[in-house]
Amino acid sequence: LENLDVSSNELREIPPTSANWVFIKNINLSHNMITALPWEFGWLETIEKLEISHNPLTIPPRNAQNLGVGAMLKWLKDNEPQDHKAVLA
């Protein structure tokens, strides 16, 4: 699976199991109710396109969103809470 389109599904969150999406290159999450991308996205190195428009996202912040996919993923990786990292280890 390289493309995932879950747009317009009234989703409120993306499950932490998204860390297993290691081969996905294109993700369309647009037109949902997502407020935060999962911290796990910061560790997915294959993502090339991430469509997040029309969501009330606060994580990552708007300034990272405006800089594109690489900046969003870097922000998630760099700002992942320490207690969350311990859970994944």
Side-chain angles (χ1 to χ4, degrees):
L1 181 67
E2 290 186 358
N3 301 297
L4 177 65
D5 185 342
V6 292
S7 60
S8 302
N9 278 287
E10 299 182 19
L11 298 176
R12 296 192 178 280
E13 61 184 35
I14 304 300
T17 56
S18 61
N20 297 322
W21 299 352
V22 294
F23 298 109
I24 292 182
K25 293 182 180 180
N26 303 301
I27 302 173
N28 186 344
L29 303 172
S30 65
H31 298 274
N32 282 294
M33 299 301 296
I34 300 166
T35 58
L37 293 180
W39 297 109
E40 290 82 3
F41 271 27
W43 298 94
L44 296 178
E45 298 176 357
T46 57
I47 298 177
E48 296 173 2
K49 183 177 180 185
L50 179 59
E51 177 58 55
I52 56 167
S53 64
H54 303 282
N55 281 288
L57 278 174
T58 57
I59 295 177
R62 179 75 55 203
N63 61 338
Q65 294 175 38
N66 291 340
L67 293 174
V69 117
M72 285 189 285
L73 301 181
K74 182 177 182 337
W75 188 93
L76 289 166
K77 188 173 183 179
D78 291 350
N79 292 280
E80 183 177 8
Q82 287 296 330
D83 59 338
H84 187 265
K85 290 178 185 179
V87 171
L88 294 177

